[in-house]
C-alpha cells in the first residue's frame, strides 16, 4: 500500500512539476521573476515545518500526520487553478510547501515502520517505483505542454491534487502505527542535539548537489559548450531515469546497515569523481564522440546516484532512534532541501564559470564528501550505542523487561 501510495503521488508530482512554470508564466501571465520569487519564498518558509512535523508524527503516529498533510496539499493544489496574482501564488505555494515538509518527515517515519523485515530491499523497491511514477507523470505532462491551453494545464494541476487525495486513501489501508515511547528525560528536539546526525545532514545536503547536475547543469553544458547533438539533452534525463528504475533494487537491496551505508557513500563519491571529468571532456571531442561520452558519463553518474540514495537510506534511518524517526527525517529533509535551494547558484557559478576546471573541482568535491561517509557512520554508531547503554542502565526495565514497544506492537 505504501509503495502504491507513493507511486500515485509521484505520478501527480511528475504531471505538475514539469509544466508548473509554463502554466504560471504563459497562462496566468505572471512574470518569470515573480514566479521564481513566489516559489523561493514558499520553499524557504516550508523548510520550517519539517522537524515539527516529524515530531508530531513521532508522537501522534506517522500515518495520521501524513494523511492530514496530504489533505492540505490536495486543497492547496486545487486552489492553484484560481491563482491570478503573485500574492495568491505565494500564499498557496507556502501552504503547500509547509504541508509537503511535514508529509516528507512523516513519510520517512512510516517507511521505517512498514519496511521492518527487509528494510534495504523495501526502500530500494520504493524508490524504484517512485522514479517510475515521476517518469510516467512527466510523459503525461508532455501532452499538456503540447496543447498549451488553460484547460490542459488545469487538468494537470487537478490531477496532481487528486494524486494527493488518492495517496491519503491508500495510506488509510495501512496499520495505524502507534507512537513509540521516548526515553525518560529526553530533550524534545533530540535530533538537533545529535551532533553526528547533524553532521551527516550537512554531508547529505551537500552531496545532494549531484541531482541538479542531471536536471540543470549538464543540459546547459551540452547545449552551450559541446558539439553533441541536441537530442542528447533529452537522452540525459531518460538514461538517468532508466538506470535508476532498472538497477535501484538490485544495488540498493544489498546496502542494509549503517556500515554498508558509510561504504556506499564513499563509493558514490568515487563514481561522481569519474563521471564529472567525463562530462567535462565532452567539450573537447568531436560531435559523435561527445554524444557517446555524454551517454557513458550519465550512466556512471546514475550508478553514483543509486549508491548515494541507498547510503542515505541506510544512514538516515539507521543512525536515528526508532522513537524519533519522524523528527530525524524532518532534519534530514531540511538539510537536503537547503542544499537543493543553493545548488543552482553554486553549480552555474562555479562549474559553468570555470568550465573544465569547474567539473574537475566538482568531482573532487563529491569524492571528498564520500570519503567522510565511513567516519560519520562510525561516529554516529558509537554515539548511539553509548546513549542506548545509558538508557538501558537507568531504566527499571534493564533487568530484562522492555522499555519501548516492539515494532510489531501496532494496531489498526
Amino acid at each position: 500500500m505504501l509503495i502504491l501510495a507513493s507511486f500515485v503521488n509521484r505520478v501527480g508530482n511528475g504531471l505538475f512539476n514539469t509544466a508548473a512554470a509554463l502554466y504560471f508564466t504563459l497562462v496566468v501571465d505572471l512574470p518569470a521573476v515573480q514566479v521564481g520569487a513566489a516559489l523561493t519564498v514558499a520553499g524557504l518558509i516550508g523548510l520550517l515545518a519539517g522537524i515539527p512535523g516529524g515530531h508530531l508524527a513521532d508522537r501522534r503516529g506517522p500515518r495520521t500526520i501524513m494523511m492530514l498533510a496530504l489533505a492540505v496539499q490536495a486543497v492547496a493544489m486545487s486552489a492553484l487553478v484560481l491563482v491570478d496574482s503573485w500574492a495568491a501564488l505565494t500564499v498557496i505555494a507556502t501552504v503547500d510547501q509547509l504541508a509537503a515538509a511535514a508529509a516528507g518527515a512523516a513519510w520517512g517515519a512510516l517507511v521505517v515502520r512498514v519496511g521492518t523485515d527487509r528494510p534495504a530491499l523495501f526502500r530500494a523497491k520504493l524508490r524504484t517505483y517512485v522514479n517510475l511514477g515521476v517518469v510516467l507523470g512527466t510523459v503525461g505532462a508532455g501532452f499538456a505542454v503540447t496543447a498549451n491551453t488553460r484547460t490542459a494545464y488545469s487538468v494537470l494541476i487537478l490531477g496532481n491534487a487528486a494524486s494527493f487525495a488518492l495517496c491519503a486513501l491508500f495510506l488509510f489501508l495501512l496499520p495505524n502505527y502507534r507512537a513509540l515511547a521516548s526515553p525518560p528525560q529526553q530533550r524534545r528536539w533530540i535530533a538537533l542535539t545529535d551532533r553526528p546526525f547533524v553532521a551527516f545532514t550537512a554531508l547529505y545536503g551537500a552531496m545532494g548537489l549531484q541531482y541538479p547536475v542531471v536536471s540543470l547543469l549538464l543540459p546547459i553544458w551540452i547545449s552551450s559548450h559541446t558539439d553533441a547533438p541536441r537530442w542528447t539533452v533529452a537522452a540525459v534525463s531518460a538514461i538517468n531515469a532508466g538506470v535508476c528504475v532498472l538497477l535501484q533494487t538490485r544495488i540498493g537491496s544489498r546496502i542494509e546497515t549503517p556500515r554498508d551505508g558509510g561504504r556506499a557513500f564513499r563509493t558514490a563519491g568515487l563514481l561522481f569523481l569519474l563521471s564529472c571529468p567525463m562530462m567535462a571532456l565532452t567539450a573537447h571531442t568531436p560531435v559523435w564522440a561527445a554524444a557517446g561520452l555524454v551517454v557513458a558519463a550519465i550512466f556512471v553518474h546514475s550508478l553514483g546516484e543509486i549508491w548515494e540514495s541507498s547510503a542515505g537510506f541506510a544512514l538516515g534511518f539507521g543512525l536515528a532512534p526508532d522513537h524519533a524517526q519522524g523528527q530525524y527525517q524532518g532534519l534530514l529533509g531540511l538539510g537536503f532541501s537547503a542544499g537543493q535551494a543553493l545548488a543552482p547558484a553554486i553549480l552555474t557559478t562555479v562549474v559553468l564559470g570555470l568550465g573544465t576546471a569547474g567539473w574537475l573541482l566538482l568531482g573532487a568535491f563529491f569524492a571528498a564528501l564520500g570519503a567522510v561517509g565511513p567516519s560519520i557512520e562510525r561516529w554516529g554508531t558509537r554515539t548511539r550505542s553509548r546513549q542506548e547503554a545509558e538508557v538501558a542502565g537507568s531504566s527499571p526495565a534493564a533487568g530484562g523487561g522492555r522499555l519501548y514497544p516492539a515494532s510489531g506492537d501496532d494496531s489498526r
Side-chain angles (χ1 to χ4, degrees):
M1 282 297 103
L2 184 57
I3 288 176
L4 182 58
S6 300
F7 171 78
V8 168
N9 186 222
R10 290 311 176 95
V11 170
N13 291 165
L15 288 172
F16 176 74
N17 293 341
T18 304
L22 295 178
Y23 170 74
F24 295 126
T25 54
L26 300 180
V27 177
V28 182
D29 201 26
L30 292 176
V33 174
Q34 290 189 9
V35 174
L39 298 180
T40 298
V41 169
L44 291 175
I45 295 176
L47 295 177
L48 303 176
I51 298 177
H55 180 68
L56 279 176
D58 292 329
R59 302 280 57 86
R60 303 298 179 188
R63 190 193 72 165
T64 300
I65 299 304
M66 189 172 177
M67 288 177 63
L68 289 174
L70 288 169
V72 172
Q73 285 190 276
V75 174
M77 189 58 56
S78 299
L80 285 179
V81 299
L82 304 176
V83 163
D84 59 359
S85 67
W86 177 84
L89 174 59
T90 303
V91 171
I92 295 173
T94 298
V95 172
D96 174 70
Q97 288 301 303
L98 288 169
W107 180 86
L110 196 56
V111 167
V112 172
R113 303 298 290 275
V114 173
T116 53
D117 295 333
R118 292 288 307 280
L121 177 61
F122 174 70
R123 294 162 194 162
K125 287 184 176 180
L126 184 59
R127 191 170 191 272
T128 296
Y129 282 98
V130 161
N131 284 330
L132 182 59
V134 172
V135 171
L136 293 179
T138 302
V139 171
F143 293 101
V145 172
T146 302
N148 197 33
T149 63
R150 174 179 285 273
T151 300
Y153 286 116
S154 296
V155 168
L156 289 187
I157 293 172
L158 294 177
N160 191 24
S163 78
F164 288 121
L166 189 56
C167 179
L169 180 62
F170 285 134
L171 293 182
F172 186 73
L173 301 177
L174 287 175
N176 186 21
Y177 296 97
R178 294 182 297 181
L180 300 178
S182 302
Q185 301 178 341
Q186 176 187 283
R187 296 178 182 177
R188 172 171 292 186
W189 306 113
I190 178 178
L192 295 174
T193 62
D194 190 330
R195 289 183 294 175
F197 198 88
V198 170
F200 171 65
T201 296
L203 194 70
Y204 187 66
M207 189 68 99
L209 265 66
Q210 61 93 3
Y211 290 101
V213 167
V214 176
S215 61
L216 173 68
L217 183 59
L218 189 54
I220 295 175
W221 178 262
I222 291 171
S223 61
S224 61
H225 290 78
T226 77
D227 294 324
R230 291 297 172 259
W231 57 260
T232 55
V233 174
V236 162
S237 296
I239 295 171
N240 177 247
V243 172
C244 291
V245 168
L246 293 175
L247 298 181
Q248 181 71 54
T249 300
R250 182 185 296 271
I251 295 174
S253 61
R254 302 198 301 265
I255 303 171
E256 296 184 339
T257 66
R259 175 171 292 185
D260 295 336
R263 294 171 177 171
F265 210 76
R266 180 174 58 197
T267 300
L270 294 175
L271 287 168
F272 295 142
L273 178 62
L274 177 60
S275 66
C276 286
M278 293 171 68
M279 295 175 185
L281 283 175
T282 58
H284 308 283
T285 54
V287 175
W288 293 107
L293 201 53
V294 166
V295 171
I298 196 61
F299 177 78
V300 175
H301 187 93
S302 300
L303 290 178
E305 179 180 328
I306 294 172
W307 283 93
E308 185 267 346
S309 63
S310 300
F313 279 140
L315 291 169
F317 291 122
L319 297 181
D322 289 341
H323 66 274
Q325 282 286 350
Q327 188 181 143
Y328 274 71
Q329 299 314 310
L331 174 61
L332 196 62
L334 173 62
F336 180 80
S337 297
Q340 296 301 291
L342 296 173
I346 295 174
L347 294 176
T348 55
T349 300
V350 176
V351 180
L352 293 182
L354 296 178
T356 299
W359 280 107
L360 298 178
L361 183 62
L362 183 64
F365 174 70
F366 285 140
L369 292 175
V372 182
S375 299
I376 289 287
E377 177 274 320
R378 289 192 294 269
W379 184 20
T381 300
R382 184 172 62 251
T383 303
R384 184 175 176 190
S385 298
R386 187 185 308 123
Q387 292 172 343
E388 290 176 345
E390 291 174 355
V391 169
S394 62
S395 168
R402 191 175 66 199
L403 180 61
Y404 312 118
S407 296
D409 293 345
D410 302 309
S411 61
R412 289 194 176 273

